[in-house]
Amino acid sequence: MVISGKTRVCGVIGDPIEHTLSPIMHNAAFKALKLDFAFLAFKVKAADVEKAVSGMRALGIHGLNVTMPHKSAVINYLDEVDQAAKAIGSVNTILNKDGRLFGFNTDGVGALQALRENGVEPRGKKVLLLGAGGAARAIAYTLAREADELVILNRTAKQAAELANLLKQTFDRKVVADTLSPNAIKDTLQDSDVLINATSVGMKPNANQTPVAFEWLRPDLAVMDIVYNPVETKLAKDAKAAGAKVVSGFEMLIYQGAASFEIWTGHSAPVEVMRHAALNHLLKV
Ligand code: ATR
């Protein structure tokens, strides 16, 4: 890669940021398409988000990904925010178009694409979503338009109810919210087609945990776990053992990155290249 005076700079802001896969994934994609772009990671403290966005303008940084814990805070400093990102209060992608900053959220489309590319079609199906945090909100907003029925279970019931109300007001679909409990999961799963874990249960260092008991999993269920650390969670292993179709959180990570790449470059993302680079890196560290 030759960095010149014309190279367009993209990056990711977050804290912590050391373990991000975005630079690996995007630089590999820029190289594959011979685009004069470079991607860096910036550790930005919560108190410095406004300054970081000003810096983006001042330095003419072309695009940014935004990760934890800044996805909500950045919204205050952008010129325009896409309708979905505004509704869920979360931006993970910023595009600098001639000095005007546009905010988007690619988590929802990333999840939908990950499902579809792996042979799972949520349209017309009953989907059980566990969680109502940032990622869950993005996924719910996208899936509410596709699924026939969406059930949202969250440890904090109020969050689930607020999300369900937003979706019911926005889309004419059946959306139900309840408290996350073993019984609620078991009962809802009985007639669900797709299960998505968007809680952090099962994430390292608690990789031996799962929100769903093995006995409740079935071969005719599709399961996506958005946790990608470990790459194969306990839920994913159990679902595979039960004969269910499994889509990993790693796939969602790749497709949300691919959607951001397309926003910044206007080119179709080389998804295979991105997946290969990110997976190779993960296996090395
Ligand atoms: P992200 O950006 O990854 O979505 P988040 O916004 O912090 O992260 O959301 C984390 C989600 O995991 C929330 O739905 C959270 O539930 P609460 O709203 O009740 O906090 C859920 N979660 C985290 N730890 C959990 C646990 N031990 N059991 C059940 N749900 C949990």
Side-chain angles (χ1 to χ4, degrees):
M1 182 198 304
V2 178
I3 295 182
S4 74
K6 292 185 196 151
T7 304
R8 288 192 167 186
V9 178
C10 291
V12 55
I13 59 169
D15 183 18
I17 203 65
E18 291 78 6
H19 299 293
T20 178
L21 290 172
S22 299
I24 302 288
M25 195 157 81
H26 288 293
N27 284 319
F30 295 149
K31 192 173 168 199
L33 296 195
K34 298 191 171 62
L35 298 175
D36 191 7
F37 279 65
F39 193 104
L40 294 163
F42 302 104
K43 182 168 178 170
V44 172
K45 289 188 267 191
D48 290 332
V49 173
E50 184 173 8
K51 284 188 223 156
V53 177
S54 298
M56 181 184 191
R57 289 181 199 276
L59 298 172
I61 290 176
H62 179 70
L64 283 179
N65 266 152
V66 182
T67 187
M68 295 251 287
H70 309 319
K71 289 183 180 187
S72 302
V74 288
I75 292 184
N76 301 316
Y77 314 115
L78 305 179
D79 299 305
E80 276 185 49
V81 177
D82 159 71
Q83 191 216 340
K86 198 185 280 177
I88 60 172
S90 173
V91 159
N92 80 335
T93 304
I94 307 174
L95 171 68
N96 184 348
K97 228 193 240 172
D98 306 320
R100 281 184 69 74
L101 303 186
F102 293 79
F104 306 88
N105 191 306
T106 65
D107 288 333
V109 289
L112 180 60
Q113 189 105 10
L115 287 170
R116 287 197 169 140
E117 296 289 336
N118 288 281
V120 181
E121 176 52 69
R123 179 157 291 180
K125 303 280 173 56
K126 178 169 176 177
V127 177
L128 169 56
L129 176 69
L130 308 181
R137 292 173 69 81
I139 294 170
Y141 197 88
T142 302
L143 286 193
R145 271 169 287 188
E146 307 291 334
D148 194 40
E149 185 179 348
L150 179 63
V151 180
I152 303 165
L153 301 178
N154 195 45
R155 180 176 61 179
T156 311
K158 190 167 169 270
Q159 293 255 94
E162 280 171 9
L163 177 54
N165 285 338
L166 165 75
L167 299 173
K168 277 189 281 193
Q169 280 162 17
T170 315
F171 310 108
D172 187 21
R173 293 291 156 104
K174 190 170 175 198
V175 186
V176 179
D178 206 343
T179 311
L180 190 147
S181 70
N183 270 344
I185 297 176
K186 186 180 173 204
D187 290 349
T188 314
L189 262 187
Q190 279 173 8
D191 62 345
S192 293
D193 307 292
V194 182
L195 163 70
I196 301 175
N197 175 41
T199 73
S200 45
V201 177
M203 193 184 286
K204 272 186 190 167
N206 301 313
N208 60 340
Q209 294 181 0
T210 170
V212 182
F214 177 72
E215 309 81 75
W216 308 335
L217 299 164
R218 318 179 308 265
D220 60 335
L221 193 67
V223 178
M224 180 160 89
D225 192 343
I226 75 158
V227 173
Y228 64 87
N229 180 25
V231 175
E232 191 174 44
T233 59
K234 172 144 176 48
L235 172 60
K237 276 186 202 149
D238 285 353
K240 208 185 263 178
K245 185 159 212 128
V246 179
V247 181
S248 72
F250 181 76
E251 285 291 291
M252 174 177 155
L253 178 82
I254 299 300
Y255 284 103
Q256 64 78 29
S260 297
F261 180 94
E262 288 169 11
I263 288 171
W264 297 324
T265 67
H267 290 271
S268 286
V271 174
E272 255 326 301
V273 169
M274 296 170 86
R275 182 186 285 115
H276 185 76
L279 202 54
N280 258 354
H281 184 78
L282 267 186
L283 293 177
K284 265 191 275 171
V285 290

